[in-house]
Amino acid sequence: MKDVAVIEDPAAAEASLDPMRARLLAELTEPNSATMLAAKVGLPRQKVNYHLKTLERHGLVELVEERRKGNVNERVMRATAASFVISPAALASVAPDPSRAPDRLSARWLLALAAQLVRDVGTLIVGASQARKKLATFAIDGRVRFASAADRAAFAEELSAAVAALVSKYHDDSAEGGRDHRLVVAVHPAVPRTADTEER
């Protein structure tokens, strides 16, 4: 089982967004049969089987084993990943495009960049997985508390200058066999973590 799987197919995204199927995916981080799941989610076994077949058809669950129980073959299933991310590629025709309105102070542009990041890294993960290769990435996540809006603006300017200096130092257009990398740096207000937001 993978830690995270990226859903790029629109039909698979639709299947995963059904509330009952999403619940079944959460239950299937550990192998379970339709009978065991039916008792947990309060649905008839046949209905659970229907949902499992849909999830299996889209590669979201997989067969772990089949075992004989009386005159029935019981299928034990497991989710193909512990968690899933739906790529904006699943909604390609309406996915945000950061090149439409590049405004570094716009929250909507930041969201478009984040969507592009999810789409690009998702595509890279799928490709690396198929090629059985590791994917080289790097990320920084941190918190900073600003005393004022002026401090936040000064921080953004200094950060921009520092990043521009690093890019200028290491970027080499003439490097034969070099590979372009995308750099995204974002600063946004932190969302307070409460029991309610954790549940959402």
Side-chain angles (χ1 to χ4, degrees):
M1 177 191 285
K2 302 171 194 162
D3 288 338
V4 182
V6 182
I7 300 173
E8 293 183 317
D9 176 57
E14 183 182 359
S16 72
L17 288 171
D18 174 271
M20 182 49 68
R21 291 181 195 142
R23 172 130 186 241
L24 291 172
L25 281 174
E27 294 288 347
L28 286 169
T29 53
E30 297 294 327
N32 267 305
S33 69
T35 305
M36 294 188 290
L37 288 167
K40 286 182 180 180
V41 301
L43 279 181
R45 184 178 54 80
Q46 293 85 348
K47 200 88 158 164
V48 170
N49 260 328
Y50 166 77
H51 287 307
L52 289 177
K53 283 179 181 166
T54 301
L55 292 169
E56 185 179 20
R57 190 167 59 248
H58 294 294
L60 302 173
V61 301
E62 61 191 358
L63 180 67
V64 175
E65 64 171 314
E66 275 191 295
R67 49 191 182 208
R68 194 88 179 148
K69 251 195 165 178
N71 2 330
V72 182
N73 272 343
E74 188 177 60
R75 301 177 85 227
V76 178
M77 308 296 289
R78 178 181 65 194
T80 52
S83 56
F84 295 88
V85 173
I86 297 175
S87 168
L91 296 167
S93 59
V94 292
D97 179 359
S99 68
R100 279 192 206 127
D103 172 4
R104 65 187 191 138
L105 299 179
S106 162
R108 285 177 176 78
W109 188 60
L110 173 57
L111 193 59
L113 279 176
Q116 178 177 282
L117 179 70
V118 170
R119 186 195 66 223
D120 290 354
V121 175
T123 299
L124 290 166
I125 286 172
V126 170
S129 178
Q130 289 170 349
R132 297 179 188 271
K133 291 190 173 180
K134 288 193 173 182
L135 178 61
T137 61
F138 172 73
I140 296 174
D141 180 29
R143 284 182 177 244
V144 56
R145 182 182 290 245
F146 298 110
S148 66
D151 282 357
R152 185 182 63 231
F155 176 86
E157 285 305 315
E158 284 187 51
L159 182 60
S160 297
V163 170
L166 277 170
V167 168
S168 175
K169 179 178 178 180
Y170 289 100
H171 179 70
D172 187 351
D173 260 333
S174 63
E176 208 172 300
R179 184 173 185 183
D180 285 347
H181 284 69
R182 178 169 290 283
L183 171 68
V184 177
V185 179
V187 176
H188 63 81
V191 177
R193 293 289 169 206
T194 64
D196 185 44
T197 56
E198 288 293 345
E199 196 172 310
R200 283 206 303 270

